[in-house]
Amino acid sequence: MSTPSSERSGDRSPLRIGFVPGVTLTRWSTTWRERFRSVPLETVEVAEVEQRAVLDAGAVDLCFVRGPIDTDGLHLIPLYEEVAVAWVSKEHPVAAFDEVTLADLADETVLTEADAETINQVALEIAVLHVPMSIARSHSRRDLTYRPITDAPMTRIGLAWPADRPHPLTDDFIGVVRGRTPNSSRTQQEKAKKARR
């Protein structure tokens, strides 16, 4: 099992990970707990409008963010893209199609912030939500459905952290997210570099 630098120094302080709605951490958090059992991983959902603020304030050590985001003073690793969807009531006319375009939504009240109030408006057929597919999936409801918007720009998820104050375990967590095995050459190089400090 890998030994992060915090364990070697006796520091058992947790690594705090923020994530915007729609990001699923299960795979990465499970791998972390298998490899670094004595170092707690604290995860907290962060509103998209607060993603930069929590990093600047030091409320989290790293954050899974949704672009666009001001990267001045941050390191950012792009991870994957998300398809945009129209999230609607199953009774809405849009639900009859396999996919739609932005022009198809021109006469609709289109909202982009998913919260309890806007989701309720969608259920009542007052509005349509234009959101990443991951958000529609994470708030799955029997009375709602979603359809891809074929000509809408994709959003991007990345992993960000402050450039001037990285957590001692940042490299270890990046290794987990990027799928490095405990015995990969990159992991071994990072462990050797930390051991020399």
Side-chain angles (χ1 to χ4, degrees):
M1 183 170 65
S2 298
T3 304
S5 57
S6 65
E7 288 193 47
R8 289 191 291 271
S9 66
D11 178 13
R12 302 295 170 86
S13 60
L15 181 63
R16 300 163 301 168
I17 306 297
F19 63 98
V20 292
V23 174
T24 302
L25 301 183
T26 306
R27 178 182 58 182
W28 298 315
S29 60
T30 298
T31 300
W32 179 269
R33 291 180 180 112
E34 289 172 351
R35 293 188 192 175
F36 309 119
R37 294 176 186 170
S38 64
V39 183
L41 190 70
E42 292 183 359
T43 59
V44 57
E45 186 171 279
V46 175
E48 195 170 322
V49 295
E50 298 292 329
Q51 60 185 3
R52 176 68 201 237
V54 295
L55 286 165
D56 290 342
V60 297
D61 300 308
L62 300 96
C63 190
F64 289 91
V65 298
R66 180 174 286 114
I69 182 174
D70 176 14
T71 57
D72 185 37
L74 295 181
H75 287 307
L76 176 67
I77 299 174
L79 296 176
Y80 59 87
E81 293 183 323
E82 304 173 297
V83 172
V85 300
W87 196 13
V88 298
S89 163
K90 285 187 175 178
E91 304 303 318
H92 194 285
V94 165
F97 299 92
D98 292 332
E99 56 188 31
V100 294
T101 66
L102 290 171
D104 294 327
L105 305 176
D107 296 329
E108 303 290 341
T109 299
V110 179
L111 306 175
T112 57
E113 195 69 35
D115 56 32
E117 181 179 347
T118 57
I119 293 171
N120 188 53
Q121 291 183 52
V122 169
L124 295 172
E125 298 184 55
I126 298 172
V128 171
L129 270 168
H130 174 171
V131 294
M133 185 185 293
S134 62
I135 290 180
R137 282 180 170 171
S138 65
H139 293 278
S140 178
R141 286 176 43 160
R142 291 183 179 181
D143 57 339
L144 305 181
T145 189
Y146 57 85
R147 298 292 181 262
I149 306 174
T150 58
D151 57 347
M154 289 187 172
T155 49
R156 294 172 183 255
I157 294 294
L159 181 62
W161 67 97
D164 61 346
R165 46 185 171 81
H167 189 281
L169 299 179
T170 293
D171 288 341
D172 294 306
F173 189 74
I174 292 170
V176 168
V177 171
R178 287 193 155 171
R180 294 184 206 135
T181 66
N183 298 319
S184 72
S185 59
R186 179 68 181 269
T187 301
Q188 295 302 319
Q189 289 170 6
E190 288 173 355
K191 287 170 65 177
K193 183 168 64 176
K194 289 175 185 176
R196 290 195 296 270
R197 290 177 185 168

